[in-house]
Amino acid sequence: MAQAQPAPSSFPSTIPTDPTTHQTASTYISLTPHPLSASQLTTFVRSPSAGATVLFIGTTRDTFATLPVSSLSYTSYIPLAMSTLRSICSSLLSKHEIEKIAIVHRLGEVGIGEESIVIAVSAKHRQAAWRAGEEALEEAKRRAEIWKLEKFVGGEGVWRANRDGVMGVKVEPDEGKEGREGVENKGESGTLDVSEEG
Amino acid sequence: MASGKSPLGHFSILYFAAASTFTGKSTEHLPAPVLARNLFTSLEQLYPGIVDKVLSSCAVTVNLEYIDLDGEDTPQLELMIKEGDEVAIIPPVSSG
């Protein structure tokens, strides 16, 4: 929650105040406006038949290339993203010898240095857990219908695209209400070649 | 989602990320039926420049299914967007 300043107006109506969660015996998926708990995920994937648990924590970074980032927020097409994440989990469960998998992603405003995605995978043996964990992250980044808006120090915002490491679409600041109404965006051609954190 | 039920003779369209910034909206209702392959042209009339700046890199879903309009194999050229459908403009994603 922001203090006195107006809440980010980029997508006010699309972030529900409650988490959206799907859980089965082997899968836990959640899109949530609340801070993420890595220990909750490792607890979920713990199993007497698992000898290995792999945990990935992706945190928001304070720069894009060399540009200082002041804040980030995530929005999502929640029903579609849930269905995509379910499909990623079920294909990993059938492809790799893993016991359980959990993927959670934060939505809304996320402070710099906070967790934006957490993935936990358990397996009998470490190799399968490592591989499935990495694949879960790569597939989620490639496919999950979630979008990151990075706001740079100085006020300009950019919708990021994971694909190609391009910078995405610039959002012009407009006085008092950064974000949507009456804002015209410009195609962005900055092809900064950087790889990204989780 | 913000869409809610669309009024008679309309479908809902959801705009995300750059599409939401460009239109200034997260959702609206547009007249149905419309051929899916004419959707971008209709949006261009409402929001000049949107095809070039935003839609050219976007995918489209109808009722949570991606549609294929430019594939040579089985393009869904006759697909009709009907009253009550939920359409979404899906820009390149950026989770993580």
Side-chain angles (χ1 to χ4, degrees):
Chain A
M1 275 304 177
Q3 315 83 326
Q5 65 199 97
S9 56
S10 312
F11 23 77
S13 55
T14 53
I15 306 297
T17 51
D18 291 321
T20 304
T21 298
H22 165 80
Q23 183 171 350
T24 67
S26 58
T27 305
Y28 180 88
I29 297 163
S30 188
L31 300 175
T32 175
H34 306 309
L36 306 184
S37 162
S39 65
Q40 188 198 343
L41 291 208
T42 50
T43 302
F44 172 80
V45 300
R46 184 161 297 169
S47 158
S49 51
T53 294
V54 163
L55 175 68
F56 176 85
I57 300 174
T59 51
T60 53
R61 204 171 37 203
D62 65 355
T63 54
F64 177 79
T66 56
L67 297 172
V69 172
S70 63
S71 73
L72 298 95
S73 36
Y74 292 89
T75 186
S76 176
Y77 188 9
I78 293 175
L80 188 57
M82 290 297 289
S83 141
T84 298
L85 291 171
R86 284 171 70 163
S87 131
I88 290 169
C89 288
S90 65
S91 78
L92 291 174
L93 282 162
S94 57
K95 180 176 170 187
H96 298 280
E97 281 191 43
I98 58 175
E99 301 291 321
K100 295 185 184 184
I101 180 164
I103 304 179
V104 296
H105 201 291
R106 181 99 178 258
L107 299 180
E109 195 89 353
V110 180
I112 300 296
E114 291 183 27
E115 290 88 341
S116 53
I117 185 169
V118 179
I119 294 176
V121 181
S122 64
K124 265 195 185 58
H125 304 294
R126 65 188 181 282
Q127 293 90 343
W130 281 123
R131 286 189 198 112
E134 178 171 30
E135 202 171 318
L137 176 66
E138 296 306 319
E139 283 297 291
K141 291 189 64 129
R142 188 174 73 80
R143 291 173 54 198
E145 289 83 1
I146 295 169
W147 296 272
K148 167 161 54 183
L149 178 67
E150 287 178 336
K151 287 178 192 150
F152 295 107
V153 173
E156 207 163 60
V158 166
W159 287 108
R160 203 44 187 293
N162 284 343
R163 194 174 74 185
D164 311 326
V166 298
M167 197 158 169
V169 176
K170 209 180 266 182
V171 179
E172 298 289 324
D174 90 358
E175 55 284 62
K177 284 187 99 179
E178 34 184 333
R180 50 197 222 117
E181 272 137 28
V183 176
E184 206 197 331
N185 67 348
K186 291 179 179 167
E188 169 59 45
S189 56
T191 47
L192 300 167
D193 185 18
V194 288
S195 62
E196 205 202 339
E197 94 293 356
Chain B
M1 293 277 83
S3 64
K5 280 246 187 302
S6 32
L8 278 181
H10 288 71
F11 67 95
S12 319
I13 184 163
L14 307 178
Y15 303 109
F16 292 99
S20 163
T21 303
F22 195 94
T23 59
K25 296 169 181 164
S26 56
T27 180
E28 67 182 321
H29 303 298
L30 297 175
V34 61
L35 270 172
R37 68 168 188 265
N38 294 336
L39 177 67
F40 282 12
T41 314
S42 309
L43 291 173
E44 179 70 19
Q45 283 163 6
L46 290 171
Y47 306 103
I50 194 173
V51 168
D52 184 42
K53 286 177 178 164
V54 178
L55 299 181
S56 54
S57 62
C58 290
V60 176
T61 61
V62 176
N63 299 328
L64 300 176
E65 300 276 351
Y66 283 94
I67 62 171
D68 179 11
L69 295 174
D70 47 17
E72 282 299 309
D73 302 335
T74 52
Q76 295 161 287
L77 292 180
E78 300 310 314
L79 181 76
M80 191 68 83
I81 296 170
K82 302 180 302 297
E83 173 181 312
D85 281 352
E86 180 176 284
V87 173
I89 304 298
I90 311 288
V93 298
S94 47
S95 69

